[in-house]
Amino acid sequence: MPPTGEDAVDVNAEKAMLYYSDAYQKLYNRRPKDLRALDDGWVIVNGARMRVTELEMLTTQLQHEYKRDTDQRRSIVNRLLKWFKQN
């Protein structure tokens, strides 16, 4: 039986914090300093209080930034490989 009410909010907050922590670590190669759940769908992230939905949006931004960064690195490596093949 899925959690309901306050339990569902807690599970949602825990899941959002897990996804955020993973995205943050991939992008910055370190864990977030301050990440904890509060009551009623609120969390603390690096000293800032925000709603779980805001944390989910922030996580999406971090994931997008990570993807852009890796795509950029891949492009540079591919250009270098092409250049070495020509010479």
Side-chain angles (χ1 to χ4, degrees):
M1 183 157 139
T4 58
E6 191 174 312
D7 291 337
V9 171
D10 291 342
V11 169
N12 195 25
E14 292 295 327
K15 193 182 282 190
M17 290 188 316
L18 178 66
Y19 292 146
Y20 172 81
S21 181
D22 181 58
Y24 189 94
Q25 187 162 357
K26 282 181 180 177
L27 186 60
Y28 298 115
N29 295 321
R30 60 186 165 93
R31 308 288 279 155
K33 290 182 183 177
D34 188 16
L35 182 61
R36 57 193 155 96
L38 300 176
D39 293 336
D40 300 323
W42 288 92
V43 293
I44 297 288
V45 180
N46 294 329
R49 183 178 176 206
M50 65 178 66
R51 287 249 176 232
V52 170
T53 54
E54 294 170 315
L55 180 60
E56 291 168 341
M57 289 187 291
L58 181 58
T59 301
T60 300
Q61 290 174 335
L62 290 177
Q63 290 167 337
H64 177 73
E65 188 69 27
Y66 177 76
K67 183 181 179 331
R68 195 185 87 200
D69 187 48
T70 55
D71 289 347
Q72 187 177 25
R73 287 182 195 179
R74 188 174 296 123
S75 174
I76 291 169
V77 169
N78 284 335
R79 284 186 283 165
L80 282 171
L81 288 172
K82 285 180 186 176
W83 185 81
F84 283 122
K85 284 181 182 178
Q86 292 174 352
N87 294 322

